[in-house]
Amino acid sequence: MKPSKASQRYRSIRRNTNQHYLYQDSLLLGNSDDSFNADETGDSNDPEQIFQNIQFQKDLMANIRCRPWTMGQKLRALRRAKQIVLKFEGRLTRTRGYQAAGAELWRKLARLACNFAVIFIPWEMRIKKIESHFGSGVASYFIFLRWLFGINIVLTVMTGAFIVIPELIAGQPFGSTVSKTIPQEQVMSAQDLDTIWSLGGYLQYSVLFYGYYGRERRIGRAGYRLPLAYFLVGMAVFAYSFIILLKKMAKNSRTSLASASNENYTFCWRVFCAWDYLIGNPEAAESKTAAIVNSIREAILEEQEKKKSKNMAVTICLRIIANILVLLSLAGSIYLIYFVVDRSQKLEQSKKELTLWEKNEVSVVVSLVTMLAPSAFDLIAALEMYHPRTTLRFQLARVLVLYLGNLYSLIIALLDKVNSMNTEEGATKNTTSHWIDPPTFFATRTAPEGGQWPTPGSGMGLRRNSTSTWVLGETSILTSTMPYTKANKTVLYTQGPQGQCWETYVGQEMLKLSVIDMLFTVASILLIDFFRGLFVRYLSDYWCWDLESKFPEYGEFKIAENVLHLVYNQGMIWMGAFFSPCLPAFNVLKLIGLMYLRSWAVLTCNVPHQQVFRASRSNNFYLAMLLFMLFLCMLPTIFAIVHYKPSLNCGPFSGQEKIYDIVSETIENDLPAWFHSVVGHISSPVVILPAVLLLFMLIYYLQSIARSLKLSNQQLRMQIQNARSEDKKKVAQMVEGKFIFKMQILATCSEVTFKALPLSAARIQTHEESTKRLPKDSDLLSQLSSVHMVTAQNNGNVVNFDSLSNNSIRLETVTKSLPQSPGQRHRAPCSPLPGESRSRPEEDINRYPHDPSASTGSLQKNRSCTSVTQIQSINHVRSEPLSRKDFQPISRLLHEPGVSALMTHGHRPHAPRHYIVNEHASRKKTHPIFWPERHFKIDALGEVVELYPRNVRQYKSWAPHQPRCPQLSEEEDMLRRDFVQWPVAPRSLTDLPQAFYVDDRSESDTRGPELQPRIYYKSGDDGFEDQFNRPPFVHKKPCSRNVQYPQHPLKPRVKAKFEPSFTESDSVSAASSSDQQNSSTDQHLQVMPRQGKFPRSAGQLGRRKAKSRQALPADLNDLVCSNV
Amino acid sequence: MRLFYRYQDLAPQLVPLDYTSCPDVKVPYELIGTMPELKDNPFRQRIAQVFSQDGDGHMTLDNFLDMFSVMSEMAPRDLKAYYAFKIYDFNDDNYICAWDLEQTVTRLTRGELSAEEVSLVCEKVLDEADSDHDGRLSLEDFQSMILRSPDFLSTFHIRI
């Protein structure tokens, strides 16, 4: 492999790895480049190593999807890894290769099968389409619907396979027994529409209902125990529903990862998780935006409300009123249902012919109530002025209570009706009842008494008939216990013998309710959604107000209400499933229809609900409601099963005292004796009581374990947080501490003033940066700290320094040696990472000399530690070697990324990723950064050493902006004194930089266009240097500055400022004029990136961020200006 | 993947059918942004920029595939979190600072919130998620925050 390519690859891999540190879950990433390198260097012969390599590559292949690389990189890496694996694997074993091939084939097949299976997921495409239009909230409704559909399918299969089909195949055929034939007086009307409509006639005597099933203990040749099966399936329906619900809930809660535990991220979630990326519909997007705005506003309000104590008297009153209203309406609806059932009962008694309305009164009223009451609750909820989510919760709870109340009141009313009819009719009928022997009952079931209750064909009549008969039967038995026990013969009242069973009646009611509910749903979808949509869409042009946005609007898809409706519907199914085995099957049909209708309606004429209903969490919410519903619906059924005696002459359990007797009977008769005894023992209190106790103990134990786990979880989280914050603190200290903190101590007094005046502060900073340089240097000189000399010499710059020191400008040498020491160290190690680690201690070393310098120059309290200055000064030190030391261009190029890496590493050393990421940026960044530095340097040297008058004037010119002018002048005095003390020859000093810059220029020219700006700075500075040397220009410079200061950092202005400087420098140094012209544009370009980039690094120190922000532009401006 | 090919062909007409012969074709952002999946997304520009090679929003097929593989339902959540972070990091400095947040909020709300509200929200967000109190969100902060969110996985994907 060619070296260039290899290095390129190496680089890309580096980038990957560095990115990968970000990515916590990436596996084995640290050594990925090692391995790549290893196999690049050649194939080693160590089989162990090869094996590891292969393993690693396989890991890579397996996890490649989880890595945040670009696709090209992924493909390349994958291809390469595969290649390596293939190449080396052959060497190890051949069978492994076959295995791999087989596995590959299998995977492909599995994938194909997976893709194929997706086709068969019902409504997948439809749901996805809805999801992509309306977001995941709406889709969750349909997914829930589909899941319910699945459950109902299973229930249907269970009942169908174990009850309905055996009965149809092996049971006695229609008309063969009394419970399977239609009474003669009803045959005529059995096919009438209204009979069918009210589920009478043929429907009543069909497998739809409980009454049809025979009571034979075994049917068919195989001896299928239908009654037992019926009972067991009835129970299995509940058991299955419970299990599947709990399983689903557990799964959901596992995926949601106990996220609801801490709610302290509300704002974050509202911002970052608010947008549903699935939305691809402008209307949905609009409403989503509105919803987000609402939610954010709410959050703000909430936050504000938290702070202030609120006077809630009115609201509380309103809420009380609202709750009373809701309770009233609940009570009203319950009473209404009860009343309707009662009325229908009375109507049956008084009238013989019932109208269609009267027959369906009950279910229609129930459906109406379920339809209208939620909207009423909605209106009431507006009174309460709760938070919208609370409102939603209240609303859901109320609606749920309403639904439950409806179902319960219905079933209670039905049972009550049964009871009441029992007493009153029993009294009347007892006189006319006659007793028949059980054997003869079956023989003489020719319905002689059918005419006694002429209820021709109407469902209501039948129902009444059946109930009354059942009641009568029961009462007769109850009242005739004496003959029953004495004569030891079963007596039956055979009045209206066919299909008169309360189970069928209940089943009929439930089925009817379900049908009516379906019709109402369809009607409401059509009316409320579709026609409203049509109306709004087509009439809005001719209406006096905007229909689409004001009153009628488009129908909203209220997810919560719709889901509740589904839950309610499912509750009905569970409630009725025992009495009407085909109810699940019917529900399957209903759900299919609902699915299509709803999805069509949603897609055509609905807009999503405004309120955000949490999609994933709500899933479990739905399920919880469903579970609740299931439990509550199971209760009446179980109650009926346990408490009521089954009908005597219909259904599989006829003739038994209780329905569940079938189980004990089977155990007694059909199973071996030992089993019977075992069951007997188990069901004895000796076993049951300890078992219950054990269960309680187990529950308590598990609960306590869960509690302790939660506690430990919390502690772990705390620990993590602590560790992280400590880590960061440590890092921050390492970076800033040694440097900044000492500065801060010095600067504390001045900080206050600077906070007040950030703008002027920035200016002072930039300037005093330059002035500070001098005291530092001078201080170092005074100390003549050998350390720096030594370090510098160690770095191999001895020649350089010697030549300089020959000129006896010690000031210069020291300033140089100081910054060079880090630079040299950086250069020495080629790879930046070790360079970083090694250079940090040096940085510290370098800091120490700085500190005393700062302390001597403690007049410069303007080290007010805004992050800008810190970073700048760091940059100064780093970039100084760049600008100053221009001996080795190549090494500088190497060095440059190193510097940038250091800069970023300095702040977060434990995160190496910054290095490569910022490489580009740092390129840009370093230029502008050492350019100001350069300026300071030169400025400082030029100003202080040579031009006292200029310096003074400059400060004076700043006076209006600086309140701290006297201090500065003091400082200057200090400086002056310092310089007086040092026998510095200005002449030679100025010579020196010139020599430097000549050198610079020649070298930088060779460096290529990329570094042009740098040339400019140097040359520009050079020019200034020249200026400073000549008195006439010295005066011009402050002038131009004065002009510039009041202005603010706008690009055009900066540009304008450059113009005069060009002319100046042109006049002075003609040599650099062309360079300047070129680079002036460059400078412009770079001013902008810097502006953009600087806040980033500045922002690292967050608390002072705002301050530094403010300071930054001014600072920048200053730098630009002063450079000019 | 074949589907993606088709979409690549659907979205811009200037992509040749034989893709392998010229793999460097780029689809301009204007076309990417008008895809029905993206056209209503307030962050579409950011998405395109994050996934495009040089941050200009013009995408090659590889980038395109990348985008949808990250946005697919099967992508692991850490990957999603990583890219979500990049999307919300408007100035590409690997931190979500207040300015990024302002951008995010204004785009989310289409500028319907007032400036004070926006700044308040930004402050609050930083307050909540910034575990090391450096005034901006690092990737770790972001991940720990977003992975705890109940909705993130369900909302942060695009379906085509």
Side-chain angles (χ1 to χ4, degrees):
Chain A
M1 192 164 283
K2 282 177 188 170
S4 66
K5 222 173 176 184
S7 69
Q8 196 184 343
R9 155 101 48 76
Y10 178 74
R11 246 175 143 187
S12 74
I13 290 165
R14 277 227 77 87
R15 189 184 310 164
N16 294 340
T17 54
N18 278 303
Q19 279 180 347
H20 262 298
Y21 281 143
L22 295 175
Y23 183 45
Q24 296 160 347
D25 278 356
S26 62
L27 313 162
L28 289 172
L29 244 281
N31 42 2
S32 80
D33 58 341
D34 294 341
S35 77
F36 272 100
N37 290 338
D39 61 59
E40 258 174 35
T41 53
D43 12 5
S44 61
N45 290 321
D46 184 11
E48 190 61 31
Q49 203 177 333
I50 291 173
F51 187 70
Q52 276 180 359
N53 193 8
I54 287 173
Q55 281 305 317
F56 171 73
Q57 299 293 353
K58 278 184 176 166
D59 275 345
L60 191 80
M61 277 195 275
N63 296 316
I64 199 155
R65 191 188 263 169
C66 309
R67 318 204 153 171
W69 305 351
T70 66
M71 192 57 86
Q73 277 171 352
K74 275 185 199 170
L75 279 178
R76 231 178 301 139
L78 189 66
R79 230 173 267 143
R80 185 171 171 72
K82 271 185 180 165
Q83 222 176 12
I84 289 164
V85 169
L86 277 182
K87 195 166 123 199
F88 291 111
E89 214 158 35
R91 218 188 273 179
L92 283 179
T93 56
R94 196 159 280 273
T95 52
R96 201 171 277 172
Y98 290 128
Q99 276 175 5
E104 179 87 352
L105 197 69
W106 173 247
R107 222 178 37 235
K108 274 184 183 161
L109 273 180
R111 195 190 169 118
L112 204 69
C114 243
N115 285 343
F116 196 61
V118 170
I119 301 172
F120 291 103
I121 297 176
W123 306 305
E124 184 75 3
M125 288 313 292
R126 192 174 279 265
I127 290 177
K128 303 253 148 145
K129 194 174 162 198
I130 292 168
E131 193 169 9
S132 62
H133 276 252
F134 288 89
S136 51
V138 176
S140 73
Y141 166 80
F142 287 96
I143 289 168
F144 184 66
L145 178 60
R146 186 174 64 183
W147 186 73
L148 275 184
F149 171 75
I151 285 186
N152 276 300
I153 290 250
V154 174
L155 295 187
T156 309
V157 166
M158 263 163 46
T159 54
F162 294 110
I163 302 175
V164 178
I165 291 175
E167 173 69 28
L168 283 179
I169 291 171
Q172 286 159 329
F174 181 74
S176 62
T177 63
V178 67
S179 64
K180 292 186 183 181
T181 40
I182 301 171
Q184 272 172 351
E185 73 273 16
Q186 296 172 14
V187 166
M188 297 302 293
S189 64
Q191 284 177 320
D192 291 355
L193 189 64
D194 64 334
T195 314
I196 299 290
W197 175 246
S198 54
L199 304 173
Y202 282 111
L203 284 184
Q204 188 182 1
Y205 299 96
S206 70
V207 285
L208 272 181
F209 299 112
Y210 169 90
Y212 183 77
Y213 296 89
R215 65 174 303 243
E216 290 78 17
R217 297 191 40 78
R218 290 159 175 270
I219 56 172
R221 269 166 292 165
Y224 187 76
R225 293 188 181 86
L226 185 73
L228 182 64
Y230 195 99
F231 181 76
L232 288 184
V233 165
M235 294 300 107
V237 164
F238 290 120
Y240 170 77
S241 309
F242 260 120
I243 288 170
I244 200 91
L245 256 176
L246 289 176
K247 229 171 116 182
K248 179 92 176 172
M249 281 177 82
K251 199 175 139 202
N252 266 358
S253 64
R254 223 177 300 138
T255 50
S256 66
L257 208 104
S259 52
S261 57
N262 50 351
E263 284 280 329
N264 46 2
Y265 286 132
T266 45
F267 273 95
C268 288
W269 289 345
R270 265 164 222 238
V271 172
F272 291 123
C273 307
W275 189 256
D276 197 337
Y277 282 71
L278 286 165
I279 287 176
N281 182 357
E283 282 170 23
E286 223 159 79
S287 65
K288 185 79 188 174
T289 309
I292 291 169
V293 171
N294 277 344
S295 80
I296 289 177
R297 284 229 172 96
E298 277 157 22
I300 292 171
L301 276 182
E302 228 172 284
E303 203 62 31
Q304 284 166 350
E305 228 161 78
K306 255 184 218 167
K307 283 169 195 164
K308 62 184 177 192
S309 62
K310 42 206 170 181
N311 186 13
M312 294 279 293
V314 182
T315 351
I316 286 173
C317 279
L318 278 176
R319 283 175 191 179
I320 289 171
I321 291 171
N323 275 318
I324 289 172
L325 279 177
V326 166
L327 282 180
L328 278 181
S329 63
L330 275 180
S333 74
I334 287 170
Y335 174 74
L336 192 66
I337 288 166
Y338 199 84
F339 170 77
V340 164
V341 173
D342 201 43
R343 197 174 97 99
S344 76
Q345 178 188 335
K346 284 190 183 123
L347 273 176
E348 278 165 36
Q349 283 172 4
S350 56
K351 276 206 238 169
K352 295 187 176 157
E353 276 301 328
L354 295 172
T355 59
L356 187 68
W357 160 247
E358 280 164 346
K359 278 184 244 169
N360 296 308
E361 203 177 31
V362 178
S363 29
V364 167
V365 165
V366 170
S367 297
L368 267 183
V369 165
T370 53
M371 198 117 274
L372 295 180
S375 338
F377 289 164
D378 223 0
L379 285 182
I380 292 169
L383 266 181
E384 294 180 299
M385 298 191 291
Y386 274 125
H387 180 265
R389 193 170 302 141
T390 337
T391 313
L392 192 67
R393 271 186 210 143
F394 267 83
Q395 170 85 351
L396 286 180
R398 281 166 190 166
V399 172
L400 192 68
V401 167
L402 173 84
Y403 285 164
L404 274 176
N406 285 349
L407 277 183
Y408 260 73
S409 59
L410 180 70
I411 196 109
I412 287 171
L414 286 179
L415 294 178
D416 191 55
K417 182 170 149 187
V418 163
N419 276 335
S420 66
M421 283 168 76
N422 166 11
T423 51
E424 69 186 47
E425 293 206 2
T428 56
K429 288 298 169 296
N430 260 346
T431 53
T432 58
S433 63
H434 62 276
W435 307 90
I436 293 171
D437 232 354
T440 59
F441 158 67
F442 285 108
T444 64
R445 58 182 127 76
T446 49
E449 318 248 340
Q452 193 177 350
W453 297 95
T455 52
S458 78
M460 271 306 189
L462 270 179
R463 204 183 316 136
R464 167 176 155 271
N465 217 348
S466 65
T467 46
S468 65
T469 327
W470 167 67
V471 169
L472 284 178
E474 188 152 41
T475 46
S476 63
I477 285 162
L478 289 174
T479 51
S480 63
T481 43
M482 287 299 282
Y484 183 84
T485 48
K486 273 180 187 170
N488 198 15
K489 69 176 186 184
T490 321
V491 281
L492 278 174
Y493 182 56
T494 60
Q495 189 260 336
Q498 290 107 337
Q500 274 108 38
C501 36
W502 58 273
E503 290 94 341
T504 300
Y505 171 55
V506 173
Q508 264 178 329
E509 276 304 309
M510 296 319 282
L511 189 56
K512 209 190 285 177
L513 193 61
S514 190
V515 170
I516 301 271
D517 180 71
M518 183 176 78
L519 290 179
F520 267 83
T521 311
V522 170
S524 77
I525 287 173
L526 280 183
L527 277 178
I528 297 182
D529 291 332
F530 183 60
F531 286 114
R532 180 169 156 194
L534 280 183
F535 177 75
V536 169
R537 164 83 30 116
Y538 292 108
L539 286 184
S540 62
D541 295 340
Y542 315 107
W543 213 257
C544 16
W545 64 82
D546 188 11
L547 286 175
E548 292 192 12
S549 62
K550 285 205 185 117
F551 167 57
E553 297 181 18
Y554 289 108
E556 276 181 348
F557 186 77
K558 295 182 177 174
I559 302 166
E561 270 86 348
N562 277 305
V563 164
L564 262 188
H565 193 255
L566 277 185
V567 169
Y568 165 69
N569 180 42
Q570 191 60 32
M572 270 189 318
I573 301 304
W574 277 321
M575 212 178 244
F578 187 78
F579 305 111
S580 164
C582 289
L583 208 51
F586 170 76
N587 198 33
V588 166
L589 295 179
K590 180 178 171 180
L591 287 181
I592 291 173
L594 198 61
M595 183 81 181
Y596 282 105
L597 195 67
R598 262 282 172 226
S599 57
W600 167 78
V602 161
L603 284 177
T604 49
C605 47
N606 267 1
V607 291
H609 199 39
Q610 286 265 339
Q611 279 162 11
V612 201
F613 197 63
R614 284 267 159 87
S616 59
R617 199 188 298 169
S618 61
N619 268 340
N620 242 357
F621 183 66
Y622 302 160
L623 292 175
M625 284 197 297
L626 199 61
L627 191 70
F628 187 57
M629 201 69 174
L630 172 61
F631 180 71
L632 290 179
C633 288
M634 213 178 67
L635 281 184
T637 314
I638 298 285
F639 176 76
I641 287 171
V642 170
H643 188 257
Y644 287 95
K645 191 179 185 329
S647 306
L648 282 178
N649 46 9
C650 66
F653 308 114
S654 54
Q656 280 162 350
E657 197 60 32
K658 299 280 183 207
I659 287 173
Y660 56 83
D661 279 347
I662 191 78
V663 180
S664 53
E665 198 183 300
T666 311
I667 288 170
E668 270 173 38
N669 298 342
D670 302 329
L671 288 171
W674 62 266
F675 190 78
H676 175 53
S677 63
V678 165
V679 170
H681 283 304
I682 284 177
S683 56
S684 70
V686 181
V687 181
I688 286 183
L689 270 181
V692 168
L693 268 181
L694 194 72
L695 273 181
F696 273 121
M697 275 157 57
L698 209 68
I699 287 171
Y700 181 75
Y701 173 68
L702 285 179
Q703 207 173 18
S704 60
I705 276 189
R707 214 178 300 138
S708 69
L709 278 181
K710 202 183 271 178
L711 201 71
S712 70
N713 200 1
Q714 218 163 6
Q715 275 172 346
L716 278 178
R717 192 176 294 148
M718 290 265 290
Q719 227 166 0
I720 288 174
Q721 215 149 29
N722 279 347
R724 197 187 291 157
S725 57
E726 219 158 85
D727 212 30
K728 299 218 166 151
K729 232 180 265 169
K730 216 181 284 171
V731 166
Q733 274 180 358
M734 268 167 72
V735 177
E736 305 166 19
K738 290 173 185 153
F739 176 46
I740 296 162
F741 275 28
K742 284 162 195 164
M743 298 296 200
Q744 231 166 7
I745 295 164
L746 303 174
T748 37
C749 52
S750 65
E751 208 166 336
V752 181
T753 57
F754 274 102
K755 266 176 192 162
L757 301 155
L759 266 178
S760 60
R763 267 175 217 143
I764 295 162
Q765 278 160 22
T766 52
H767 194 73
E768 295 194 0
E769 196 94 60
S770 63
T771 52
K772 196 200 117 195
R773 212 101 226 151
L774 278 177
K776 179 170 66 186
D777 296 342
S778 56
D779 209 50
L780 289 174
L781 263 185
S782 72
Q783 288 175 352
L784 278 177
S785 64
S786 58
V787 182
H788 297 105
M789 291 304 286
V790 170
T791 53
Q793 276 166 2
N794 283 342
N795 290 331
N797 286 325
V798 190
V799 184
N800 180 21
F801 292 128
D802 283 346
S803 65
L804 290 172
S805 58
N806 281 340
N807 289 336
S808 79
I809 306 163
R810 277 182 286 177
L811 175 68
E812 193 53 38
T813 55
V814 174
T815 52
K816 236 173 33 174
S817 70
L818 176 64
Q820 264 166 8
S821 53
Q824 287 303 113
R825 291 287 170 88
H826 295 325
R827 233 172 277 162
C830 272
S831 68
L833 289 184
E836 173 244 330
S837 60
R838 266 168 60 182
S839 59
R840 208 181 301 141
E842 275 182 12
E843 182 186 311
D844 299 340
I845 294 173
N846 283 331
R847 292 304 158 218
Y848 293 124
H850 279 234
D851 292 338
S853 73
S855 61
T856 54
S858 63
L859 327 156
Q860 312 150 344
K861 290 146 196 150
N862 72 328
R863 277 331 223 125
S864 65
C865 299
T866 64
S867 54
V868 179
T869 51
Q870 291 153 12
I871 288 158
Q872 258 187 1
S873 53
I874 290 172
N875 290 341
H876 293 164
V877 179
R878 300 283 165 62
S879 52
E880 211 158 14
L882 291 187
S883 50
R884 281 274 163 166
K885 277 282 304 168
D886 290 324
F887 293 110
Q888 305 125 319
I890 297 166
S891 65
R892 182 182 318 128
L893 281 175
L894 268 178
H895 177 110
E896 215 172 88
V899 168
S900 61
L902 257 182
M903 280 155 47
T904 45
H905 279 313
H907 299 293
R908 304 175 58 89
H910 70 296
R913 59 197 133 109
H914 293 292
Y915 159 50
I916 299 288
V917 176
N918 282 343
E919 192 176 356
H920 274 286
S922 63
R923 277 282 160 88
K924 285 180 197 160
K925 214 153 90 181
T926 44
H927 300 304
I929 280 168
F930 64 72
W931 136 62
E933 191 280 333
R934 161 61 52 90
H935 159 66
F936 294 142
K937 205 72 181 161
I938 308 300
D939 208 14
L941 287 174
E943 280 172 12
V944 186
V945 176
E946 292 186 11
L947 305 163
Y948 284 121
R950 187 184 83 88
N951 229 343
V952 172
R953 194 175 305 165
Q954 201 174 339
Y955 282 124
K956 271 176 186 168
S957 67
W958 282 1
H961 306 289
Q962 289 175 342
R964 278 183 65 246
C965 197
Q967 284 174 351
L968 279 172
S969 58
E970 265 182 31
E971 189 181 309
E972 255 181 75
D973 286 342
M974 277 287 288
L975 293 179
R976 224 175 290 163
R977 247 178 285 137
D978 279 345
F979 276 95
V980 169
Q981 283 171 4
W982 306 109
V984 178
R987 183 74 229 154
S988 56
L989 183 70
T990 49
D991 277 346
L992 185 78
Q994 259 186 347
F996 246 33
Y997 292 130
V998 171
D999 217 341
D1000 258 356
R1001 222 177 294 155
S1002 59
E1003 267 177 13
S1004 53
D1005 282 339
T1006 61
R1007 229 173 287 136
E1010 192 200 7
L1011 304 172
Q1012 275 286 350
R1014 213 191 295 165
I1015 302 165
Y1016 163 64
Y1017 301 132
K1018 274 152 213 157
S1019 53
D1021 289 333
D1022 205 4
F1024 291 137
E1025 202 65 38
D1026 287 341
Q1027 286 177 11
F1028 298 156
N1029 287 340
R1030 286 153 214 193
F1033 290 102
V1034 168
H1035 295 291
K1036 268 185 190 172
K1037 169 119 187 168
C1039 285
S1040 65
R1041 276 199 188 173
N1042 284 340
V1043 173
Q1044 288 155 11
Y1045 277 123
Q1047 291 172 354
H1048 284 286
L1050 294 173
K1051 204 170 79 171
R1053 290 196 184 170
V1054 174
K1055 201 174 179 179
K1057 250 141 269 158
F1058 279 124
E1059 301 302 332
S1061 76
F1062 289 158
T1063 55
E1064 278 180 13
S1065 51
D1066 272 346
S1067 65
V1068 175
S1069 56
S1072 60
S1073 64
S1074 62
D1075 262 351
Q1076 279 181 345
Q1077 290 291 356
N1078 289 337
S1079 51
S1080 64
T1081 53
D1082 275 349
Q1083 199 175 16
H1084 275 303
L1085 290 178
Q1086 281 173 355
V1087 168
M1088 292 318 288
R1090 185 159 177 269
Q1091 242 167 348
K1093 249 128 212 170
F1094 215 87
R1096 187 202 311 157
S1097 45
Q1100 280 179 349
L1101 304 167
R1103 267 174 235 155
R1104 304 176 208 127
K1105 175 192 55 200
K1107 205 167 121 196
S1108 64
R1109 266 283 179 75
Q1110 280 183 324
L1112 178 74
D1115 183 16
L1116 191 72
N1117 190 18
D1118 227 14
L1119 294 181
V1120 171
C1121 300
S1122 51
N1123 194 19
V1124 171
Chain B
M1 290 293 178
R2 257 171 261 125
L3 200 86
F4 289 6
Y5 256 115
R6 223 185 62 218
Y7 265 86
Q8 171 72 344
D9 286 333
L10 268 184
Q13 296 308 317
L14 55 139
V15 175
L17 281 175
D18 181 18
Y19 184 77
T20 45
S21 62
C22 40
D24 288 333
V25 172
K26 286 189 173 185
V27 179
Y29 165 70
E30 291 74 41
L31 282 174
I32 296 278
T34 52
M35 282 179 59
E37 287 81 15
L38 286 178
K39 75 175 190 301
D40 292 310
N41 197 321
F43 302 111
R44 57 185 177 277
Q45 199 179 352
R46 278 304 299 167
I47 294 174
Q49 280 171 4
V50 164
F51 287 101
S52 63
Q53 220 144 30
D54 33 14
D56 53 1
H58 307 318
M59 303 178 97
T60 64
L61 176 64
D62 277 350
N63 302 331
F64 194 77
L65 291 184
D66 250 350
M67 177 164 86
F68 282 105
S69 80
V70 168
M71 290 305 204
S72 79
E73 277 169 293
M74 307 218 292
R77 42 199 256 153
D78 295 295
L79 188 66
K80 277 177 181 285
Y82 172 74
Y83 275 103
F85 179 79
K86 288 190 87 172
I87 286 171
Y88 292 126
D89 179 17
F90 278 81
N91 52 13
D92 290 323
D93 62 352
N94 289 324
Y95 291 99
I96 293 181
C97 57
W99 186 77
D100 294 329
L101 280 174
E102 277 168 30
Q103 285 290 312
T104 309
V105 173
T106 42
R107 285 195 193 205
L108 258 184
T109 57
R110 299 189 185 172
E112 284 185 36
L113 289 182
S114 67
E116 300 99 63
E117 282 171 319
V118 169
S119 65
L120 185 68
V121 168
C122 297
E123 200 179 300
K124 281 285 163 196
V125 166
L126 285 178
D127 214 32
E128 284 169 2
D130 186 13
S131 59
D132 53 355
H133 305 294
D134 61 352
R136 57 199 177 152
L137 305 184
S138 64
L139 181 65
E140 289 86 11
D141 295 336
F142 187 78
Q143 275 181 330
S144 67
M145 180 271 293
I146 203 100
L147 291 182
R148 243 172 258 167
S149 156
D151 299 337
F152 175 65
L153 279 190
S154 67
T155 56
F156 193 74
H157 69 258
I158 294 177
R159 185 167 290 137
I160 53 175

